[in-house]
Amino acid sequence: MYRRCRVCEGELREFVDLGRQPTANGFLRPEETDGEYFFRLAAGICTDCAMAQLLDEVPQERRYHGGYRYHASGSAGHRKHFEENALRLLETELTGPDPFIVEIGCNDGVMLSTIARAGVRHLGVEPSTNVAELARARGVDVLTEFFDERTAAGIRSRHGAADVVFGANTICHIAHAASLLRGVDALLAPGGVFVFEEPYLGTITERTAFDQIYDEHVFYFSVTSVRAMAERHGFELVDAERIPLHGGEIRYTLARPGARVPSHAVQELLAEERERGLSDPATLGRFRDRVERVRKDLVTLLRDLRAQGKRVVGYGAPGKSTTVTNYCGIGPDLVPFVCDSTPSKQGHLVPGSHLPVLPPEAFSDPYPDYALLFAWNHADEIMAKERAFRQGGGRWILYVPEVRIV
Ligand SMILES: [Zn+2]
């Protein structure tokens, strides 16, 4: 267990404990449940630099491999978001005579495929070989490695300096933060930028989105903690922008000191975090209390519905569903199955809680009385698609920020 901050070696103070948990994307076949891997999922905050992070850590080789099941292109909203990201970078940053962009954790090429189509030099660094293959099939150049300072030095010597280093929902996955930032430093051109968008501690605590906490998310960034981390490694935080992805994230832009004029948004968000007391023990204690409340309410509701003979099924099996089902002790006795459109999850079980994952067709065959929406960050997209379920009398159960039926 970590007692010292991975960024600054300061003291870590625990603020939430979600108990014994498997790896969130470790979907397994019914015959593979013996010897399933578990660890204690608990997060703490650094009393010096305010970086929130996991106390225990799952080795990265256990998280990213040939069977990695998160496909970034799985949702239409995500595809649109990343295409817009790519177009924006092409317009604002990749404008020189022969620009070069590196993406850390390019997944299935959801962002870089647009860059590749524009004919711009690029390289995705992606340790999970199966999703890297999908990216290659979209015309994206991929290096199947973990990103660290050694990988970065190799890229620099082969391809030259990068104008942009980009990451989306991957930078917070990398436990070796110091090596990562030294790598970005080695790779980035003097006027280049390091842009990354990640889950926001402020959203997680404000919305009680505790299911964003799982093994892959080693860090829970805030503007305060990212600025401290940037300065420690010779960078300046020059922009911070709220984006709606995954329920509310922040896109950070780091540059070399003096290379860019910092935006007002950085100071505004820093002031907002101070006012809210985002890193204060009292704020984090209230978050923990609300998390426990959600568990009690959700389990009570599911037991009541079962007692009334109602049928409840799960909708969507994102990594988040592992956290909530294991933390709340929701097994197939309460939710007999969950449907998900990702083919590689179908026929498998949700890690730890062992809810069977069925294809989307199972949802309407016949419709259940209630659907527990695990993929709540796609609620609008899903509810629009499943209008017939609601019109036929079906009801959605949501649990973020609190348990409710809609
Ligand atoms: Zn620290």
Side-chain angles (χ1 to χ4, degrees):
M1 185 178 116
Y2 278 78
R3 301 205 177 274
R4 295 277 156 195
C5 172
R6 292 171 181 82
V7 176
C8 81
E9 308 253 299
E11 192 191 331
L12 294 178
R13 188 173 48 220
E14 180 178 314
F15 65 87
V16 70
D17 181 353
L18 299 170
R20 187 173 169 269
Q21 295 266 353
T23 59
N25 278 302
F27 288 79
L28 66 181
R29 293 196 171 278
E31 66 275 14
E32 293 171 341
T33 54
D34 283 352
E36 190 175 6
Y37 177 90
F38 287 92
F39 77 114
R40 188 176 80 105
L41 181 64
I45 191 157
C46 175
T47 52
D48 288 345
C49 77
M51 182 64 82
Q53 53 202 283
L54 293 185
L55 297 178
D56 286 332
E57 180 180 312
V58 177
Q60 60 183 3
E61 291 76 12
R62 200 177 261 286
R63 295 183 275 147
Y64 313 104
H65 42 64
Y68 187 54
R69 293 185 206 282
Y70 177 69
H71 294 188
S73 294
S75 122
H78 281 189
R79 289 194 295 276
K80 183 164 174 284
H81 170 83
F82 286 111
E83 188 185 357
E84 284 167 2
N85 257 354
L87 294 173
R88 183 158 123 160
L89 289 172
L90 286 168
E91 264 173 37
T92 58
E93 303 289 346
L94 300 167
T95 53
D98 184 23
F100 178 46
I101 175 171
V102 173
E103 182 175 5
I104 300 173
C106 69
N107 199 275
D108 56 12
V110 64
M111 197 284 282
L112 280 184
S113 55
T114 302
I115 303 280
R117 275 197 302 278
V120 166
R121 280 198 307 136
H122 64 274
L123 185 67
V125 184
E126 174 52 66
S128 301
T129 50
N130 60 325
V131 289
E133 275 314 310
L134 296 173
R136 287 195 184 99
R138 291 192 163 109
V140 172
D141 297 327
V142 187
L143 180 67
T144 38
E145 296 270 359
F146 287 100
F147 186 91
D148 57 19
E149 54 187 323
R150 188 189 54 81
T151 319
I155 297 170
R156 170 84 193 225
S157 66
R158 276 194 302 280
H159 301 274
D163 302 280
V164 177
V165 175
F166 181 80
N169 308 296
T170 54
I171 304 307
C172 73
H173 293 211
I174 299 174
H176 49 267
S179 175
L180 164 89
L181 282 153
R182 285 196 295 269
V184 173
D185 188 25
L187 185 54
L188 207 59
V193 285
F194 177 27
V195 181
F196 53 99
E197 44 187 56
E198 308 287 325
Y200 179 40
L201 179 65
T203 308
I204 293 170
T205 55
E206 185 177 58
R207 302 194 63 184
T208 317
F210 65 96
D211 55 356
Q212 294 272 15
I213 299 174
Y214 55 87
D215 64 298
E216 294 180 23
H217 296 161
V218 176
F219 293 109
Y220 302 87
F221 293 146
S222 65
V223 181
T224 305
S225 64
V226 167
R227 187 179 68 156
M229 181 169 73
E231 286 174 357
R232 196 174 180 82
H233 287 274
F235 289 103
E236 186 175 12
L237 176 64
V238 295
D239 196 19
E241 183 189 352
R242 282 180 183 276
I243 54 170
L245 208 72
H246 288 297
E249 300 199 330
I250 288 194
R251 177 189 292 137
Y252 303 93
T253 304
L254 273 52
R256 300 196 191 278
R260 302 272 171 125
V261 179
S263 73
H264 293 299
V266 174
Q267 288 308 324
E268 282 165 18
L269 282 164
L270 284 170
E272 189 184 307
E273 289 183 357
R274 266 194 310 274
E275 260 166 51
R276 283 175 58 185
L278 180 60
S279 320
D280 294 351
T283 310
L284 295 169
R286 285 193 294 275
F287 166 69
R288 184 187 49 230
D289 294 346
R290 291 196 304 276
V291 171
E292 286 170 7
R293 178 74 200 224
V294 167
R295 170 167 65 175
K296 277 194 202 107
D297 289 352
L298 185 55
V299 171
T300 303
L301 174 64
L302 293 174
R303 285 186 182 147
D304 286 352
L305 292 173
R306 183 179 59 184
Q308 294 164 27
K310 300 292 186 192
R311 201 165 148 258
V312 182
V313 309
Y315 197 104
K320 295 193 286 289
S321 67
T322 300
T323 296
V324 66
T325 55
N326 283 279
Y327 173 62
C328 299
I330 298 169
D333 56 323
L334 291 173
V335 178
F337 68 87
V338 48
C339 48
D340 192 280
S341 60
T342 312
S344 64
K345 289 180 181 175
Q346 295 160 8
H348 289 67
L349 307 175
V350 174
S353 58
H354 300 165
L355 308 186
V357 184
L358 300 184
E361 300 83 71
F363 184 57
S364 56
D365 186 27
Y367 281 126
D369 301 302
Y370 293 85
L372 177 54
L373 185 54
F374 291 118
W376 55 264
N377 51 312
H378 298 297
D380 292 346
E381 194 176 326
I382 289 168
M383 287 181 187
K385 196 172 93 185
E386 301 291 358
R387 206 170 287 123
F389 162 64
R390 186 69 180 71
Q391 282 166 352
R395 293 288 179 270
W396 296 98
I397 300 172
L398 292 161
Y399 54 86
V400 169
E402 71 237 321
V403 176
R404 65 199 192 282
I405 296 170
V406 298

